[in-house]
Amino acid sequence: MKIAITLGTRPEIIKMSPVIRELEKRRQDYFVLHTGQHYSYNLDRVFFEELKLPQAKYNLEVGSGSHAQQTASILIGVEKVLQDDTPDVLLVEGDTNSVLGSALAATKLHIKVGHVEAGLRSYDRNMPEEINRILTDHCSDYLFAPTPKARQILLGEGIPEEKIFVTGNTIVDAVFQNLEIAKGNSSSELRTLNLEPKNYFLVTLHRQENVDNPRRLASILEGLDKLAAEFRVPIVYPVHPHSLKKMKEFGLNPQKITLIEPVSFLDFLNLESNARLILTDSGGVQEEACILGVPCVTLRDNTERPETLEVGSNVLAGTLPGNILRCAQLMLHRENKWSNPFGDGRAGERIVKIIMEAKHG
Ligand code: UD1
Ligand code: UDP
């Protein structure tokens, strides 16, 4: 049996790494197809190097573009590779345009699709990720739900029970596999930035609905500036290039927060685990904060990670400065005794086992 893995962006590389490691361990016949959606060194190559992942066999180099351009290039490129290299199963992870384009190309060729991180819903169709998740789930043959809640959502949408497998989220595997290495990382950003553990806040912000909207982006940045003034702690923000482009375009220049380039996974784990508070609109970062026991304020009106709200590791602040301040205050006073709802760190192993044991007729 031959397995294909497609990935294209930073979170897909990180969250697929435990699956790739498991396939390597089993000496399974597989290949990696990179769509090239992310191509900057610090959104792409750095993760292959640091996580010691084998180079992708194919790179479509689709790059940036409108949703239609990007998704269409991925569809056409993935179809060609799948016709030439004929895998039995294609695995995708998450909710990006790379995921949707790859899943659609495979299912039209009658190649089985396995969706890692299936069943997440924000119920906000303005988000491109929500459309990608729904469509990918509904053309997949194996739906790897990270939690029982995600499984319930899929059942509620009429997906047959036998297609759904609760495996945990591979981000737990990735965190467990890398945290100790991260702690001993000699190139730690903490030292470079002169940060004291538990005495700074960490920010990430890159979602289209926040950064493409000048009013929302200005409001969040104003909230973060106010937070720095109120709590008198450094606020560090590794800026996604998408967000940097928009900040320049809208003439926004926050005064009190430290903007740095995106960092590697090990450096980011280090920054997260030592932060007093994390503020983010990222899906993966909400999960990691929960796993690492660091309180999180989500700069959105909704989340497809409701488990984090339920265990108390996360709160939704939206984008208004006053609400961001209030939510930060709330989370700083909350005891971080929650338990991680995303699994035991063996999701990659389970996913590969399920695929290997299935009949792909
Ligand atoms: C994409 C995903 C988003 C995911 C994020 C992970 C979609 C619709 N969005 O958002 O769900 O959370 O990746 O980080 O699939 N750019 C660079 N270098 C790169 C890639 C992008 O500079 O390597 C800049 C370009 O200006 C580009 C912009 O970022 O136009 C947006 O890139 P794109 O891949 O469209 O979306 P992301 O915002 O990265
Ligand atoms: N991340 C990283 N360096 C950074 C910021 C984030 O390695 O400077 C990692 C983070 O640990 C998480 C993933 O990127 O695993 C989240 O990706 P992102 O926020 O880009 O996308 P999302 O999860 O929102 O789709």
Side-chain angles (χ1 to χ4, degrees):
M1 189 189 23
K2 182 157 58 177
I3 297 172
I5 289 187
T6 61
L7 42 77
T9 65
R10 166 167 78 185
E12 292 164 71
I13 304 167
I14 293 169
K15 286 178 168 174
M16 267 303 189
S17 66
V19 176
I20 295 175
R21 281 194 180 155
E22 184 63 24
L23 291 168
E24 286 279 331
K25 198 170 105 190
R26 289 172 174 247
R27 296 174 189 274
Q28 174 58 38
D29 185 13
Y30 82 100
F31 66 86
V32 175
L33 193 181
H34 195 318
T35 65
Q37 177 172 346
H38 282 179
Y39 44 84
S40 297
Y41 175 79
N42 53 17
L43 290 190
D44 172 22
R45 201 64 249 145
V46 65
F47 302 108
F48 281 85
E49 289 173 7
E50 197 174 65
L51 300 173
K52 299 189 172 51
L53 299 175
Q55 214 184 325
K57 185 171 178 189
Y58 305 95
N59 191 322
L60 304 177
E61 297 183 1
V62 299
S64 308
S66 70
H67 284 277
Q69 276 169 344
Q70 199 173 53
T71 312
S73 305
I74 292 164
L75 254 173
I76 295 167
V78 171
E79 179 182 65
K80 170 104 189 55
V81 171
L82 298 184
Q83 279 169 331
D84 293 346
D85 213 334
T86 61
D88 300 283
V89 183
L90 174 88
L91 292 179
V92 293
E93 191 288 326
D95 53 22
T96 66
N97 288 346
S98 291
V99 171
L100 175 63
S102 307
L104 206 49
T107 197
K108 292 282 181 85
L109 292 171
H110 308 296
I111 292 170
K112 302 272 188 209
V113 176
H115 187 199
V116 178
E117 208 177 55
L120 274 62
R121 297 290 181 268
S122 67
Y123 300 104
D124 177 359
R125 291 210 181 194
N126 287 318
M127 297 173 67
E129 292 85 3
E130 182 74 354
I131 308 290
N132 293 342
R133 287 180 200 119
I134 294 170
L135 297 178
T136 304
D137 281 341
H138 284 262
C139 71
S140 291
D141 301 279
Y142 306 101
L143 293 101
F144 300 112
T147 62
K149 193 177 248 329
R151 175 177 183 273
Q152 272 322 112
I153 288 173
L154 294 168
L155 289 173
E157 291 181 10
I159 293 188
E161 197 173 0
E162 58 275 17
K163 289 187 174 183
I164 308 170
F165 306 88
V166 179
T167 57
N169 194 310
T170 57
I171 195 61
V172 183
D173 313 24
V175 169
F176 288 0
Q177 287 167 14
N178 293 289
L179 189 58
E180 284 313 307
I181 312 170
K183 283 183 180 160
N185 197 359
S186 58
S187 69
S188 166
E189 291 290 323
L190 243 65
R191 218 166 320 133
T192 322
L193 295 167
N194 221 354
L195 297 171
E196 279 172 44
K198 298 296 163 195
N199 199 26
Y200 65 91
F201 299 168
L202 177 66
V203 171
T204 80
L205 189 69
H206 73 284
R207 287 303 181 94
Q208 183 181 302
E209 71 271 19
N210 279 336
V211 303
D212 285 9
N213 180 327
R215 264 192 302 133
R216 278 179 85 91
L217 184 55
S219 178
I220 294 173
L221 294 177
E222 187 193 325
L224 295 175
D225 261 350
K226 286 199 167 138
L227 212 58
E230 169 91 14
F231 292 95
R232 297 172 187 276
V233 290
I235 300 189
V236 184
Y237 172 16
V239 193
H240 189 295
H242 184 174
S243 315
L244 192 62
K245 190 169 82 176
K246 293 294 171 185
M247 283 163 70
K248 285 187 183 149
E249 194 180 314
F250 304 146
L252 298 170
N253 189 14
Q255 295 298 307
K256 296 199 168 62
I257 57 182
T258 307
L259 307 186
I260 60 170
E261 295 268 323
V263 298
S264 75
F265 186 50
L266 294 185
D267 283 343
F268 195 72
L269 276 179
N270 222 339
L271 278 175
E272 282 182 304
S273 56
N274 287 295
R276 176 72 187 87
L277 182 71
I278 294 176
L279 299 109
T280 191
D281 63 2
S282 158
V285 175
Q286 289 173 62
E287 291 160 353
E288 286 164 357
C290 179
I291 297 162
L292 294 167
V294 180
C296 183
V297 172
T298 291
L299 303 166
R300 287 174 41 187
D301 303 317
N302 55 53
T303 179
E304 56 293 317
R305 273 85 177 173
E307 296 85 352
T308 59
L309 304 179
E310 279 158 22
V311 300
S313 68
N314 189 15
V315 68
L316 293 175
T319 55
L320 297 176
N323 290 347
I324 296 174
L325 241 71
R326 265 192 297 280
C327 287
Q329 193 73 264
L330 174 83
M331 289 311 286
L332 287 168
H333 286 102
R334 192 168 282 182
E335 254 197 299
N336 52 349
K337 281 195 172 155
W338 55 81
S339 53
N340 152 34
F342 294 114
D344 59 1
R346 294 177 54 208
E349 205 180 302
R350 282 190 196 99
I351 289 164
V352 171
K353 189 161 182 280
I354 291 162
I355 293 290
M356 302 297 298
E357 288 173 1
K359 298 211 185 335
H360 306 291

